[in-house]
């Protein structure tokens, strides 16, 4: 069962590939909001993103395990399948995709505790600025390597 893009991806694969475009754009917006001191909007956007991503990843896992099941069948026609690059890009993608949600959860829990309800700059600020940037780079890496994997597996 393939999705709605004119490639071999499943419905959920197509959806996640497109959703990651929105995620990257919203991360840039969120970074800019925080940088301009609009921290309440930044917090709300980050919490919203985390909830939507949590739901999307759950649906994605359900799709791959129970609905599409054998994504390898969809990837087999790719010239990169036999050469091993489909699996290599999946491995590279997982280097980003596995730690990212864990690091995000740490950043969010620490931010909720560290900034309190006033969101005033304070002792937590410097850790959060560094950790938040790392979290955004990890998410960007997840998106870029995910797009490359989608291309070598389901487009080529
Ligand atoms: C994974 C989720 C999050 C990421 C990736 C993230 C990322 C960032 C980044 C990169 C900055 C620095 C912006 C700059 O200096 O230009 C920042 C600032 C800030 N963030 Fe977040 N953030 C996240 C979640 C949150 C949450 C949940 C809250 C509130 C509870 C929050 C509150 C703040 C505040 C108050 C600042 C300003 C810090 C200061 O300069 O004192 N963030 N965030």
């Amino acid at each position: 069962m393939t999705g709605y893009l004119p490639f071999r991806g499943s419905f959920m694969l197509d959806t996640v590939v497109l959703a990651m475009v929105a995620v990257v754009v919203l991360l840039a917006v969120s970074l800019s909001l925080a940088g301009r001191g609009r921290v309440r909007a930044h917090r709300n956007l980050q919490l919203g993103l985390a909830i939507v991503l949590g739901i999307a990843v759950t649906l994605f896992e359900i799709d791959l395990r129970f609905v599409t099941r054998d994504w390898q069948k969809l990837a087999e026609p790719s010239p990169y399948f036999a050469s091993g690059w489909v699996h290599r890009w999946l491995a590279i993608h997982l280097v980003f995709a596995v730690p990212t949600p864990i690091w995000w959860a740490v950043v969010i829990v620490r931010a909720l505790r560290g900034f309190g309800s006033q969101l005033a700059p304070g002792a937590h600020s410097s850790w959060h600025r560094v950790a938040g940037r790392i979290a955004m780079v990890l998410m960007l890496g997840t998106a870029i390597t995910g797009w490359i994997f989608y291309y070598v597996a389901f487009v080529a």
Side-chain angles (χ1 to χ4, degrees):
M1 199 171 66
T2 56
Y4 46 88
L5 294 178
F7 311 115
R8 295 184 303 277
S10 67
F11 179 87
M12 274 311 288
L13 280 161
D14 289 358
T15 304
V16 171
V17 156
L18 293 181
M20 289 313 282
V21 178
V23 168
V24 169
V25 172
L26 290 175
L27 273 185
V29 171
S30 178
L31 180 65
S32 147
L33 285 170
R36 285 180 287 133
R38 298 197 44 201
V39 290
R40 205 157 286 276
H42 163 76
R43 177 200 55 189
N44 294 343
L45 185 49
Q46 289 297 155
L47 293 180
L49 264 178
I51 292 167
V52 171
L53 277 169
I55 295 169
V57 169
T58 307
L59 291 177
F60 184 61
E61 290 296 324
I62 292 173
D63 173 59
L64 283 185
R65 275 170 228 289
F66 302 110
V67 184
T68 302
R69 284 211 202 98
D70 199 2
W71 66 265
Q72 313 221 14
K73 271 252 155 342
L74 301 174
E76 254 165 33
S78 163
Y80 299 103
F81 192 86
S83 67
W85 278 102
V86 166
H87 289 88
R88 259 172 236 135
W89 272 109
L90 177 60
I92 296 168
H93 173 60
L94 292 179
V95 168
F96 287 90
V98 172
T100 299
I102 300 169
W103 188 245
W104 265 51
V106 172
V107 171
I108 288 174
V109 169
R110 292 209 59 190
L112 291 173
R113 290 199 183 135
F115 288 121
S117 54
Q118 294 306 313
L119 301 183
H124 185 60
S125 294
S126 59
W127 187 87
H128 183 78
R129 277 198 296 267
V130 175
R133 284 204 168 79
I134 294 171
M136 289 188 175
V137 169
L138 282 174
M139 188 58 78
L140 189 62
T142 302
I144 292 171
T145 56
W147 291 327
I148 296 173
F149 169 69
Y150 183 92
Y151 175 81
V152 295
F154 309 114
V155 179

